[in-house]
Amino acid sequence: MKSRTDELYEMMLERGYPEDFSRLICSEMNTDFTADRMMSYVFGEKHRLEDVADEMLAIIELRDRLVDKHVTEHAQASINELYRDINDDEVSDDEQ
Protein backbone atom coordinates (compact mmCIF):
# COMPACT_ATOMS: atom_id res chain seq x y z
CA MET A 1 0.00 0.00 0.00
CA LYS A 2 1.35 3.43 -0.95
CA SER A 3 1.83 6.10 1.65
CA ARG A 4 0.23 9.50 1.24
CA THR A 5 3.72 10.89 0.64
CA ASP A 6 4.22 8.46 -2.25
CA GLU A 7 0.87 9.52 -3.68
CA LEU A 8 1.89 13.16 -3.37
CA TYR A 9 5.16 12.46 -5.17
CA GLU A 10 3.36 10.77 -8.05
CA MET A 11 0.79 13.56 -8.22
CA MET A 12 3.51 16.19 -8.42
CA LEU A 13 5.29 14.32 -11.21
CA GLU A 14 2.01 13.94 -13.10
CA ARG A 15 1.43 17.67 -12.78
CA GLY A 16 4.84 18.33 -14.33
CA TYR A 17 6.89 19.39 -11.33
CA PRO A 18 10.61 18.55 -11.58
CA GLU A 19 11.61 15.22 -10.03
CA ASP A 20 14.25 16.68 -7.68
CA PHE A 21 11.89 19.40 -6.52
CA SER A 22 9.08 16.89 -5.94
CA ARG A 23 11.40 14.63 -3.99
CA LEU A 24 12.51 17.54 -1.79
CA ILE A 25 8.94 18.62 -1.10
CA CYS A 26 7.89 15.07 -0.28
CA SER A 27 10.82 14.57 2.06
CA GLU A 28 9.29 17.29 4.24
CA MET A 29 5.67 16.19 3.75
CA ASN A 30 6.27 12.88 5.48
CA THR A 31 3.07 12.48 7.49
CA ASP A 32 -0.45 11.83 6.25
CA PHE A 33 -1.51 15.23 7.60
CA THR A 34 1.18 17.20 5.77
CA ALA A 35 0.96 15.11 2.59
CA ASP A 36 -2.83 15.53 2.45
CA ARG A 37 -2.53 19.29 2.86
CA MET A 38 0.03 19.52 0.08
CA MET A 39 -2.00 17.21 -2.17
CA SER A 40 -4.96 19.55 -1.77
CA TYR A 41 -2.74 22.43 -2.81
CA VAL A 42 -1.16 20.84 -5.88
CA PHE A 43 -4.36 19.09 -6.99
CA GLY A 44 -5.77 22.16 -8.71
CA GLU A 45 -3.87 24.37 -11.08
CA LYS A 46 -0.14 24.09 -11.46
CA HIS A 47 1.64 26.56 -9.21
CA ARG A 48 5.02 28.19 -9.52
CA LEU A 49 7.81 26.36 -7.71
CA GLU A 50 8.22 29.29 -5.33
CA ASP A 51 4.54 29.10 -4.38
CA VAL A 52 4.73 25.36 -3.73
CA ALA A 53 7.80 25.89 -1.55
CA ASP A 54 5.98 28.65 0.36
CA GLU A 55 2.99 26.36 0.88
CA MET A 56 5.31 23.62 2.14
CA LEU A 57 6.76 26.02 4.71
CA ALA A 58 3.26 27.11 5.78
CA ILE A 59 2.17 23.48 6.22
CA ILE A 60 5.28 22.70 8.27
CA GLU A 61 4.64 25.76 10.44
CA LEU A 62 1.04 24.67 10.99
CA ARG A 63 2.17 21.14 11.87
CA ASP A 64 4.71 22.51 14.34
CA ARG A 65 2.10 24.75 15.97
CA LEU A 66 -0.28 21.81 16.35
CA VAL A 67 2.47 19.66 17.86
CA ASP A 68 3.37 22.46 20.29
CA LYS A 69 -0.30 22.84 21.21
CA HIS A 70 -0.64 19.14 21.97
CA VAL A 71 2.56 19.12 24.02
CA THR A 72 1.36 22.15 25.98
CA GLU A 73 -2.06 20.59 26.57
CA HIS A 74 -0.46 17.37 27.81
CA ALA A 75 1.86 19.29 30.13
CA GLN A 76 -1.07 21.30 31.49
CA ALA A 77 -3.09 18.13 32.07
CA SER A 78 -0.14 16.63 33.96
CA ILE A 79 0.17 19.72 36.14
CA ASN A 80 -3.58 19.70 36.83
CA GLU A 81 -3.40 16.04 37.84
CA LEU A 82 -0.47 16.80 40.16
CA TYR A 83 -2.44 19.62 41.80
CA ARG A 84 -5.48 17.35 42.22
CA ASP A 85 -3.30 14.70 43.85
CA ILE A 86 -1.79 17.27 46.21
CA ASN A 87 -5.24 18.60 47.12
CA ASP A 88 -6.55 15.07 47.67
CA ASP A 89 -3.61 14.36 49.99
CA GLU A 90 -4.30 17.55 51.96
CA VAL A 91 -7.97 16.66 52.32
CA SER A 92 -7.04 13.15 53.50
CA ASP A 93 -4.63 14.61 56.07
CA ASP A 94 -7.28 17.05 57.34
CA GLU A 95 -9.80 14.22 57.83
CA GLN A 96 -7.43 12.25 60.08
Side-chain angles (χ1 to χ4, degrees), residues 3 6-7 12 19 34-35 37-39 43 50 52 68 83-85 94-95:
S3 70
D6 294 336
E7 292 176 26
M12 291 184 73
E19 187 175 338
T34 56
R37 304 265 319 181
M38 185 56 81
M39 286 173 76
F43 180 74
E50 296 87 357
V52 175
D68 288 345
Y83 286 148
R84 274 193 300 276
D85 290 346
D94 291 341
E95 291 174 355

mmCIF file of all heavy atoms in Angstrom, residues 3 6-7 12 19 34-35 37-39 43 50 52 68 83-85 94-95:
data_model
loop_
_atom_site.group_PDB
_atom_site.id
_atom_site.type_symbol
_atom_site.label_atom_id
_atom_site.label_comp_id
_atom_site.label_asym_id
_atom_site.label_seq_id
_atom_site.Cartn_x
_atom_site.Cartn_y
_atom_site.Cartn_z
ATOM 1 N N SER A 3 2.045 5.074 0.631
ATOM 2 C CA SER A 3 1.831 6.095 1.648
ATOM 3 C C SER A 3 1.283 7.353 0.968
ATOM 4 O O SER A 3 1.346 7.508 -0.253
ATOM 5 C CB SER A 3 3.137 6.413 2.368
ATOM 6 O OG SER A 3 4.012 7.106 1.498
ATOM 7 N N ASP A 6 3.987 9.048 -0.927
ATOM 8 C CA ASP A 6 4.220 8.459 -2.252
ATOM 9 C C ASP A 6 3.185 8.947 -3.258
ATOM 10 O O ASP A 6 3.505 9.248 -4.414
ATOM 11 C CB ASP A 6 4.191 6.928 -2.188
ATOM 12 C CG ASP A 6 5.330 6.344 -1.383
ATOM 13 O OD1 ASP A 6 6.381 7.015 -1.251
ATOM 14 O OD2 ASP A 6 5.170 5.212 -0.873
ATOM 15 N N GLU A 7 1.937 9.022 -2.811
ATOM 16 C CA GLU A 7 0.873 9.522 -3.682
ATOM 17 C C GLU A 7 1.117 10.985 -4.060
ATOM 18 O O GLU A 7 0.894 11.387 -5.204
ATOM 19 C CB GLU A 7 -0.480 9.364 -3.007
ATOM 20 C CG GLU A 7 -0.914 7.932 -2.838
ATOM 21 C CD GLU A 7 -2.226 7.799 -2.087
ATOM 22 O OE1 GLU A 7 -3.040 8.743 -2.122
ATOM 23 O OE2 GLU A 7 -2.432 6.754 -1.455
ATOM 24 N N MET A 12 2.674 15.070 -8.004
ATOM 25 C CA MET A 12 3.507 16.191 -8.419
ATOM 26 C C MET A 12 4.188 15.904 -9.753
ATOM 27 O O MET A 12 4.255 16.784 -10.612
ATOM 28 C CB MET A 12 4.523 16.534 -7.327
ATOM 29 C CG MET A 12 3.880 17.119 -6.079
ATOM 30 S SD MET A 12 5.062 17.629 -4.834
ATOM 31 C CE MET A 12 5.715 19.109 -5.614
ATOM 32 N N GLU A 19 11.439 16.374 -10.908
ATOM 33 C CA GLU A 19 11.610 15.219 -10.029
ATOM 34 C C GLU A 19 12.363 15.580 -8.750
ATOM 35 O O GLU A 19 11.949 15.205 -7.653
ATOM 36 C CB GLU A 19 12.342 14.108 -10.778
ATOM 37 C CG GLU A 19 12.425 12.821 -10.007
ATOM 38 C CD GLU A 19 13.055 11.701 -10.812
ATOM 39 O OE1 GLU A 19 13.059 11.753 -12.049
ATOM 40 O OE2 GLU A 19 13.567 10.771 -10.161
ATOM 41 N N THR A 34 0.481 16.243 6.625
ATOM 42 C CA THR A 34 1.176 17.203 5.767
ATOM 43 C C THR A 34 1.029 16.833 4.293
ATOM 44 O O THR A 34 0.836 17.713 3.448
ATOM 45 C CB THR A 34 2.666 17.315 6.143
ATOM 46 O OG1 THR A 34 3.273 16.025 6.089
ATOM 47 C CG2 THR A 34 2.838 17.913 7.524
ATOM 48 N N ALA A 35 1.105 15.537 3.980
ATOM 49 C CA ALA A 35 0.963 15.112 2.589
ATOM 50 C C ALA A 35 -0.434 15.442 2.066
ATOM 51 O O ALA A 35 -0.577 15.927 0.931
ATOM 52 C CB ALA A 35 1.256 13.623 2.449
ATOM 53 N N ARG A 37 -2.427 17.829 3.056
ATOM 54 C CA ARG A 37 -2.528 19.293 2.860
ATOM 55 C C ARG A 37 -1.853 19.711 1.558
ATOM 56 O O ARG A 37 -2.384 20.520 0.806
ATOM 57 C CB ARG A 37 -1.902 20.038 4.043
ATOM 58 C CG ARG A 37 -2.464 19.685 5.388
ATOM 59 C CD ARG A 37 -3.522 20.513 5.926
ATOM 60 N NE ARG A 37 -3.361 21.922 5.724
ATOM 61 C CZ ARG A 37 -4.247 22.793 6.173
ATOM 62 N NH1 ARG A 37 -5.284 22.373 6.836
ATOM 63 N NH2 ARG A 37 -4.101 24.064 5.965
ATOM 64 N N MET A 38 -0.672 19.157 1.303
ATOM 65 C CA MET A 38 0.034 19.521 0.076
ATOM 66 C C MET A 38 -0.684 18.961 -1.149
ATOM 67 O O MET A 38 -0.741 19.626 -2.192
ATOM 68 C CB MET A 38 1.481 19.029 0.130
ATOM 69 C CG MET A 38 2.318 19.458 -1.053
ATOM 70 S SD MET A 38 2.386 21.256 -1.334
ATOM 71 C CE MET A 38 3.609 21.731 -0.147
ATOM 72 N N MET A 39 -1.251 17.767 -1.038
ATOM 73 C CA MET A 39 -2.003 17.206 -2.165
ATOM 74 C C MET A 39 -3.184 18.101 -2.525
ATOM 75 O O MET A 39 -3.476 18.314 -3.704
ATOM 76 C CB MET A 39 -2.480 15.788 -1.842
ATOM 77 C CG MET A 39 -1.367 14.767 -1.873
ATOM 78 S SD MET A 39 -1.876 13.139 -1.298
ATOM 79 C CE MET A 39 -2.798 12.576 -2.710
ATOM 80 N N PHE A 43 -3.344 19.760 -6.214
ATOM 81 C CA PHE A 43 -4.365 19.088 -6.995
ATOM 82 C C PHE A 43 -4.952 19.991 -8.073
ATOM 83 O O PHE A 43 -5.193 19.566 -9.182
ATOM 84 C CB PHE A 43 -5.490 18.572 -6.091
ATOM 85 C CG PHE A 43 -6.577 17.871 -6.850
ATOM 86 C CD1 PHE A 43 -6.358 16.602 -7.349
ATOM 87 C CD2 PHE A 43 -7.803 18.480 -7.068
ATOM 88 C CE1 PHE A 43 -7.343 15.941 -8.062
ATOM 89 C CE2 PHE A 43 -8.793 17.832 -7.777
ATOM 90 C CZ PHE A 43 -8.569 16.559 -8.273
ATOM 91 N N GLU A 50 8.089 28.447 -6.523
ATOM 92 C CA GLU A 50 8.217 29.292 -5.333
ATOM 93 C C GLU A 50 6.966 29.209 -4.468
ATOM 94 O O GLU A 50 7.040 29.187 -3.245
ATOM 95 C CB GLU A 50 8.466 30.756 -5.726
ATOM 96 C CG GLU A 50 9.761 30.992 -6.456
ATOM 97 C CD GLU A 50 9.648 30.785 -7.976
ATOM 98 O OE1 GLU A 50 8.573 30.399 -8.483
ATOM 99 O OE2 GLU A 50 10.657 30.999 -8.651
ATOM 100 N N VAL A 52 4.802 26.685 -4.344
ATOM 101 C CA VAL A 52 4.729 25.357 -3.733
ATOM 102 C C VAL A 52 5.665 25.303 -2.528
ATOM 103 O O VAL A 52 5.302 24.779 -1.467
ATOM 104 C CB VAL A 52 5.068 24.250 -4.755
ATOM 105 C CG1 VAL A 52 5.115 22.886 -4.080
ATOM 106 C CG2 VAL A 52 4.056 24.245 -5.902
ATOM 107 N N ASP A 68 3.127 21.666 19.077
ATOM 108 C CA ASP A 68 3.372 22.464 20.286
ATOM 109 C C ASP A 68 2.115 22.568 21.142
ATOM 110 O O ASP A 68 2.173 22.480 22.377
ATOM 111 C CB ASP A 68 3.867 23.865 19.926
ATOM 112 C CG ASP A 68 5.281 23.871 19.392
ATOM 113 O OD1 ASP A 68 5.995 22.855 19.558
ATOM 114 O OD2 ASP A 68 5.674 24.896 18.793
ATOM 115 N N TYR A 83 -1.754 18.775 40.828
ATOM 116 C CA TYR A 83 -2.442 19.622 41.801
ATOM 117 C C TYR A 83 -3.615 18.892 42.440
ATOM 118 O O TYR A 83 -3.851 19.022 43.647
ATOM 119 C CB TYR A 83 -2.931 20.915 41.149
ATOM 120 C CG TYR A 83 -1.835 21.913 40.851
ATOM 121 C CD1 TYR A 83 -1.929 22.761 39.764
ATOM 122 C CD2 TYR A 83 -0.713 22.018 41.664
ATOM 123 C CE1 TYR A 83 -0.928 23.678 39.480
ATOM 124 C CE2 TYR A 83 0.294 22.934 41.387
ATOM 125 C CZ TYR A 83 0.174 23.767 40.296
ATOM 126 O OH TYR A 83 1.155 24.678 40.029
ATOM 127 N N ARG A 84 -4.359 18.122 41.657
ATOM 128 C CA ARG A 84 -5.480 17.353 42.216
ATOM 129 C C ARG A 84 -4.974 16.350 43.246
ATOM 130 O O ARG A 84 -5.558 16.193 44.314
ATOM 131 C CB ARG A 84 -6.241 16.623 41.101
ATOM 132 C CG ARG A 84 -7.300 17.454 40.428
ATOM 133 C CD ARG A 84 -8.219 16.608 39.576
ATOM 134 N NE ARG A 84 -7.518 15.895 38.500
ATOM 135 C CZ ARG A 84 -7.219 16.412 37.314
ATOM 136 N NH1 ARG A 84 -7.551 17.657 37.046
ATOM 137 N NH2 ARG A 84 -6.598 15.686 36.408
ATOM 138 N N ASP A 85 -3.871 15.673 42.909
ATOM 139 C CA ASP A 85 -3.300 14.703 43.848
ATOM 140 C C ASP A 85 -2.854 15.382 45.144
ATOM 141 O O ASP A 85 -3.079 14.850 46.237
ATOM 142 C CB ASP A 85 -2.118 13.961 43.208
ATOM 143 C CG ASP A 85 -2.536 13.004 42.115
ATOM 144 O OD1 ASP A 85 -3.749 12.691 42.015
ATOM 145 O OD2 ASP A 85 -1.655 12.575 41.334
ATOM 146 N N ASP A 94 -6.379 16.260 56.515
ATOM 147 C CA ASP A 94 -7.278 17.049 57.339
ATOM 148 C C ASP A 94 -8.348 16.167 57.983
ATOM 149 O O ASP A 94 -8.799 16.449 59.085
ATOM 150 C CB ASP A 94 -7.960 18.149 56.529
ATOM 151 C CG ASP A 94 -6.964 19.237 56.102
ATOM 152 O OD1 ASP A 94 -5.880 19.318 56.722
ATOM 153 O OD2 ASP A 94 -7.277 19.996 55.172
ATOM 154 N N GLU A 95 -8.748 15.100 57.314
ATOM 155 C CA GLU A 95 -9.795 14.223 57.832
ATOM 156 C C GLU A 95 -9.273 13.355 58.971
ATOM 157 O O GLU A 95 -10.044 12.865 59.773
ATOM 158 C CB GLU A 95 -10.348 13.351 56.705
ATOM 159 C CG GLU A 95 -11.135 14.132 55.678
ATOM 160 C CD GLU A 95 -11.561 13.273 54.497
ATOM 161 O OE1 GLU A 95 -11.175 12.101 54.403
ATOM 162 O OE2 GLU A 95 -12.287 13.830 53.643
#
